[in-house]
């Protein structure tokens, strides 16, 4: 046990043994990480699997001919066993874990054995303490987290998919993090599978739109409502102007950050649907206070846009360029990778001199006195300091 009194599991065989040895309690495996981390890689339950029988497989098959070949078999046999992934708490940030997941699920977990894991083992310690404070006594977590586990087992263990890391590498294949027999990191190349004519079965992520296998996380793919990272393949991304996470997927026809493409009638339709969500779906008020506030702000924003169009102070731009959800610049200026560890060394807002060349970024040391220049707001915020895109501002001058 650690200082908080929670049990630590040192390695995956121990995790499997801990689950298999429990005869009287249901074992629950919880991924403490955020949704976008879970979506590209997670542990599979050590003992549980969803068994597919020949009977239910036939029920899912639309081909009547295949269904008839099964005959009158009254005792269907298991054909395939699909491992069950760890439970995803569906959190955007870890700060929501206690207020959302623990508050809603602690009572149902009190008589179960809970196994938890995270990236490096830190969030597990905190999450275990949160559950114990709510009366869940039998809680264990993986010591050292996913990192220590894949260093030993690579992709041959229970962890499947990629590991999200909080730096410019973004996500790593477990085999690239594994130690070889000499105690050194084994550099993994995807060509190894190609040479063996093997299929890459380690992709567990799926595009949120077309559901095709995809596990490339990009800072350019953000939910337009909450700015959570979204898994989206290039084909689906290029066919859409704004993107939506799973929590806000039902909002994608009525909630838009950029309204310059819509007419008055379209905006009024959006406003009506937003009002319905506010008044009927997200009730009672106390349980959905933040969501209702978001909807109210969007309704006010749409109404203000309608007023601007009716008064002639705003214009409709049907062919408006897709814009970055972070800096609000068009895709011609910013590729969406302008924040966090995706940020490039060359800022898209860097000012140009008279010759059209980007001015060099001056080195600044801690303690230097820096005076903001006349264009500081534009450099720092981009188009966010304006209510209208640049093209509209030019037309209205």
């Amino acid at each position: 046990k650690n200082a908080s009194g929670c049990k630590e599991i040192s390695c995956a065989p121990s995790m499997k043994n801990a689950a298999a040895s429990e005869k009287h309690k249901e074992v629950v495996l919880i991924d403490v990480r955020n949704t976008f981390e879970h979506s590209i890689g997670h542990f599979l339950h050590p003992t549980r699997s969803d068994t597919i029988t020949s009977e239910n497989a036939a029920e899912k098959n639309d081909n009547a001919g295949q269904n008839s070949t099964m005959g009158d078999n009254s005792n269907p046999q298991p054909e395939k066993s699909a491992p069950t992934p760890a439970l995803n708490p569906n959190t955007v940030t870890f700060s929501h874990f206690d207020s959302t997941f623990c508050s809603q699920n602690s009572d149902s977990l009190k008589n179960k054995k809970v196994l938890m894991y995270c990236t490096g083992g830190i969030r597990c310690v905190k999450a275990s303490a949160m559950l114990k404070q709510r009366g869940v006594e039998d809680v264990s977590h993986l010591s050292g987290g996913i990192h220590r586990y894949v260093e030993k087992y690579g992709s041959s263990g229970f962890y499947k998919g990629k590991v999200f890391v909080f730096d410019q590498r973004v996500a790593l294949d477990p085999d690239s993090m594994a130690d070889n027999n000499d105690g050194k990191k084994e550099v993994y190349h995807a060509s190894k599978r190609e040479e063996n004519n093997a299929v890459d079965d380690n992709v567990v992520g799926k595009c949120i739109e077309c559901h095709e296998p995809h596990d490339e996380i990009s800072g350019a793919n953000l939910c337009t409502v909450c700015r959570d990272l979204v898994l989206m393949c290039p084909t689906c991304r290029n066919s859409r102007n704004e993107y939506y996470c799973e929590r806000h997927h039902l909002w994608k026809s009525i909630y838009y950050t950029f309204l310059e493409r819509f007419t008055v009638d379209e905006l009024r339709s959006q406003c009506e649907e937003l009002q319905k969500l506010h008044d009927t779906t997200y009730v009672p008020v106390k349980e959905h206070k933040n969501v209702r506030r978001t909807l109210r702000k969007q309704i006010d924003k749409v109404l203000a846009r309608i007023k601007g169009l009716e008064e002639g102070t705003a214009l409709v731009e049907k062919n408006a360029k897709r814009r970055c959800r972070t800096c609000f610049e068009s895709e011609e200026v910013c590729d969406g990778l302008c924040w966090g560890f995706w940020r490039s060394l060359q800022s898209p807002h860097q000012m140009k001199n008279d010759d059209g060349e980007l001015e060099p970024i001056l080195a600044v040391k801690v303690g230097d006195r820096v005076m903001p220049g006349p264009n500081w707001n534009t450099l720092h915020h981009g188009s966010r300091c304006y209510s209208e895109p640049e093209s509209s501002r030019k037309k209205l001058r």
Side-chain angles (χ1 to χ4, degrees):
K1 293 186 178 182
N2 56 26
S4 64
C6 301
K7 301 174 186 176
E8 291 186 348
I9 302 174
S10 59
C11 61
S14 298
M15 181 171 65
K16 181 176 182 179
N17 294 337
S21 63
E22 186 56 62
K23 304 296 184 182
H24 305 291
K25 291 183 181 180
E26 179 184 350
V27 178
V28 180
L29 179 63
I30 302 175
D31 188 340
V32 180
R33 303 171 303 161
N34 299 320
T35 297
F36 66 88
E37 298 173 76
H38 175 90
S39 64
I40 62 169
H42 44 255
F43 273 106
L44 302 179
H45 199 288
T47 60
R48 183 186 299 169
S49 62
D50 296 329
T51 301
I52 302 175
T53 65
S54 57
E55 183 179 32
N56 56 37
E59 291 176 356
K60 294 180 180 180
N61 198 318
D62 295 329
N63 190 327
Q66 290 185 3
N67 192 16
S68 62
T69 61
M70 296 176 59
D72 297 326
N73 186 4
S74 58
N75 296 313
Q77 298 298 320
E79 287 187 344
K80 184 179 179 181
S81 182
T84 303
L87 179 63
N88 176 19
N90 292 312
T91 56
V92 179
T93 62
F94 180 67
S95 59
H96 295 158
F97 186 80
D98 185 51
S99 60
T100 56
F101 180 80
C102 293
S103 62
Q104 297 174 10
N105 298 279
S106 57
D107 289 340
S108 63
L109 295 174
K110 288 182 179 179
N111 296 320
K112 299 177 182 178
K113 184 178 187 66
V114 178
L115 305 179
M116 312 176 80
Y117 70 90
C118 59
T119 305
I122 303 300
R123 284 179 282 184
C124 289
V125 175
K126 298 179 179 180
S128 298
M130 293 174 186
L131 283 177
K132 291 183 75 68
Q133 288 177 351
R134 292 180 179 271
V136 183
E137 296 296 333
D138 197 350
V139 182
S140 305
H141 63 268
L142 184 63
S143 177
I146 300 169
H147 270 269
R148 187 175 298 176
Y149 174 80
V150 297
E151 283 178 356
K152 185 173 183 179
Y153 298 99
S155 62
S156 63
F158 292 108
Y159 189 87
K160 299 301 178 184
K162 289 184 178 179
V163 182
F164 185 88
V165 291
F166 295 86
D167 56 37
Q168 291 182 340
R169 297 173 298 173
V170 184
L172 300 177
D173 189 286
D175 286 326
S176 68
M177 305 169 67
D179 290 339
N180 59 22
N181 294 331
D182 297 328
K184 299 179 181 179
K185 295 290 183 187
E186 176 187 354
V187 180
Y188 175 78
H189 298 283
S191 59
K192 290 183 178 180
R193 286 191 179 129
E194 295 175 2
E195 292 172 359
N196 297 327
N197 295 322
V199 178
D200 186 359
D201 58 353
N202 204 35
V203 177
V204 301
K206 293 182 179 180
C207 172
I208 196 169
E209 293 291 344
C210 65
H211 305 292
E212 290 295 320
H214 182 74
D215 61 1
E216 298 295 331
I217 287 184
S218 171
N221 300 339
L222 297 177
C223 174
T224 195
V225 182
C226 63
R227 295 190 68 242
D228 192 18
L229 289 164
V230 176
L231 269 183
M232 185 172 292
C233 68
T235 302
C236 292
R237 182 181 189 275
N238 293 333
S239 63
R240 289 163 174 79
N241 287 296
E242 300 187 31
Y243 322 121
Y244 300 83
C245 66
E246 188 173 349
R247 291 188 307 134
H248 298 114
H249 214 49
L250 296 178
W251 297 24
K252 65 180 180 179
S253 60
I254 60 175
Y255 186 107
Y256 298 92
T257 299
F258 307 111
L259 303 176
E260 57 265 24
R261 295 182 293 111
F262 302 105
T263 63
V264 171
D265 291 338
E266 291 171 332
L267 291 171
R268 283 175 177 160
S269 177
Q270 292 176 23
C271 199
E272 291 175 2
E273 295 301 321
L274 289 167
Q275 193 67 52
K276 288 179 182 178
L277 281 179
H278 180 276
D279 296 340
T280 61
T281 304
Y282 295 101
V283 290
V285 176
K286 289 185 178 180
E287 294 182 8
H288 303 281
K289 182 171 61 176
N290 293 334
V291 178
R292 290 170 62 87
R293 184 186 298 118
T294 300
L295 290 170
R296 187 70 255 171
K297 287 182 178 179
Q298 182 67 10
I299 292 171
D300 293 341
K301 178 180 175 180
V302 173
L303 291 174
R305 176 69 180 176
I306 292 174
K307 182 178 179 181
L309 289 173
E310 291 177 337
E311 293 177 351
T313 58
L315 298 174
V316 177
E317 295 186 55
K318 278 295 184 180
N319 298 319
K321 298 288 186 179
R322 182 170 54 221
R323 297 165 67 186
C324 172
R325 180 60 179 83
T326 301
C327 69
F328 285 30
E329 295 286 4
S330 71
E331 59 183 351
E332 296 176 345
V333 177
C334 180
D335 60 1
L337 305 179
C338 62
W339 67 283
F341 45 73
W342 282 282
R343 186 195 302 268
S344 61
L345 297 177
Q346 199 72 49
S347 170
H349 309 306
Q350 195 174 349
M351 300 300 289
K352 295 182 179 180
N353 57 26
D354 295 336
D355 297 328
E357 299 176 351
L358 290 175
E359 297 179 352
I361 299 176
L362 301 178
V364 179
K365 301 187 297 294
V366 176
D368 286 352
R369 185 182 181 90
V370 180
M371 297 297 294
N375 299 313
W376 186 86
N377 278 333
T378 304
L379 285 168
H380 187 65
H381 298 292
S383 298
R384 285 183 291 179
C385 53
Y386 301 104
S387 58
E388 299 291 337
E390 184 178 357
S391 56
S392 294
R393 297 197 301 272
K394 289 181 180 179
K395 292 179 182 178
L396 295 173
R397 285 171 185 168

